[in-house]
Amino acid sequence: MILTDIIGPIMVGPSSSHTAGAVRIGIVSRKLLAEEITSAKILLHGSFLATGRGHGTDRAIVAGLLGMKVDDPRIPHSFEIARERGLDFSFGGIDLGDNFHPNSVKIYLKGCSGKELEIVGSSIGGGQIRIVEIDGIAVNFSGDFPTLIVHNIDQPGHVAEVTSMLEHKSVNIATMQLNRLNRGGNAVMVLECDQEVPAEAIRWLAHLEGVIKVTYLSLADPVPSV
């Protein structure tokens, strides 16, 4: 049992699920995009949609996208700060279905270089989250580890190339997931690691034949705060 299971996270309230978890989804989304966000379309599901405004979920998500931490006293003012920073954001509702946690959100992000990312995140209690979908493909990771996400064509050899590279770089794999839309179609590898993956290794992966996209969640560099 970890300490947050007992006393919860140090945060700006009122709710660890609807506020702290929402901030963390925003932070992880920002890190996964890995560049300054210029626009965000935020679609709330379930309880996030029904009671999120009262709990400040909307402001919490925007705060995370700006780089605020869960205990930042400026979270209630995130909308105003976002507008000052030129972040274009909008909210709406979505029904993701019964297979998704009621505290879930789908976020469409666009960065300063034109890079785009689609993320579904869920706040599962005590400030803990799961990222459950990236660019339409199911994933499942916490954001608590350096995480490598490789989108590739479903062909033999890609798993071996990725795991061999990590071994060569002395990066230990904590968990590994393999998902695909259909046989021979688009697939995704999600690897939570015990160490950071070197930037040159990520660049090498991105240029492999059959690799569509590489996304990386680094915990080494702090998210810049506004």
Side-chain angles (χ1 to χ4, degrees):
M1 180 178 290
I2 60 176
L3 190 59
T4 53
D5 292 331
I6 303 171
I7 62 173
I10 299 172
M11 64 173 203
V12 173
S15 166
S16 61
S17 294
H18 285 71
T19 313
V23 173
R24 289 202 63 223
I25 291 171
I27 291 172
V28 171
S29 298
R30 177 184 176 91
K31 280 179 166 284
L32 287 170
L33 188 68
E35 64 181 49
E36 198 65 32
I37 301 167
T38 57
S39 67
K41 181 180 179 181
I42 303 162
L43 303 178
L44 302 172
H45 163 80
S47 180
F48 264 9
L49 177 61
T51 65
R53 178 169 293 183
H55 285 108
T57 301
D58 47 2
R59 294 182 179 274
I61 293 170
V62 171
L65 294 176
L66 289 169
M68 296 183 194
K69 297 180 180 179
V70 297
D71 59 351
D72 195 310
R74 297 171 298 169
I75 289 173
H77 309 291
S78 64
F79 285 2
E80 295 82 358
I81 296 170
R83 295 187 183 104
E84 291 172 1
R85 291 290 303 272
L87 172 59
D88 181 24
F89 62 93
S90 64
F91 285 92
I94 190 171
D95 184 356
L96 295 171
D98 295 337
N99 291 331
F100 287 83
H101 194 284
N103 297 332
S104 294
V105 59
K106 188 168 194 173
I107 307 175
Y108 297 90
L109 296 178
K110 188 171 184 178
C112 57
S113 73
K115 181 179 178 181
E116 296 182 350
L117 190 65
E118 175 190 317
I119 295 172
V120 178
S122 301
S123 177
I124 60 175
Q128 301 301 301
I129 68 167
R130 304 299 296 182
I131 302 301
V132 295
E133 194 173 281
I134 292 182
D135 292 333
I137 298 180
V139 297
N140 186 8
F141 63 93
S142 66
D144 294 328
F145 297 89
T147 305
L148 183 65
I149 303 106
V150 181
H151 295 257
N152 59 278
I153 302 299
D154 182 33
Q155 297 171 338
H158 286 305
V159 173
E161 288 175 322
V162 173
T163 56
S164 295
M165 178 277 292
L166 293 175
E167 180 183 12
H168 178 69
K169 297 296 183 180
S170 299
V171 176
N172 190 55
I173 299 171
T175 71
M176 181 175 180
Q177 306 157 42
L178 304 173
N179 294 294
R180 64 184 184 185
L181 292 178
N182 50 68
R183 185 174 182 178
N186 290 345
V188 64
M189 284 177 266
V190 181
L191 302 102
E192 293 181 297
C193 302
D194 289 332
Q195 295 84 24
E196 293 285 343
V197 180
E200 68 271 14
I202 297 171
R203 290 192 292 269
W204 177 80
L205 280 177
H207 288 92
L208 281 181
E209 183 179 355
V211 170
I212 302 167
K213 178 180 181 181
V214 178
T215 306
Y216 181 58
L217 172 64
S218 173
L219 304 186
D221 300 320
V223 180
S225 296
V226 296

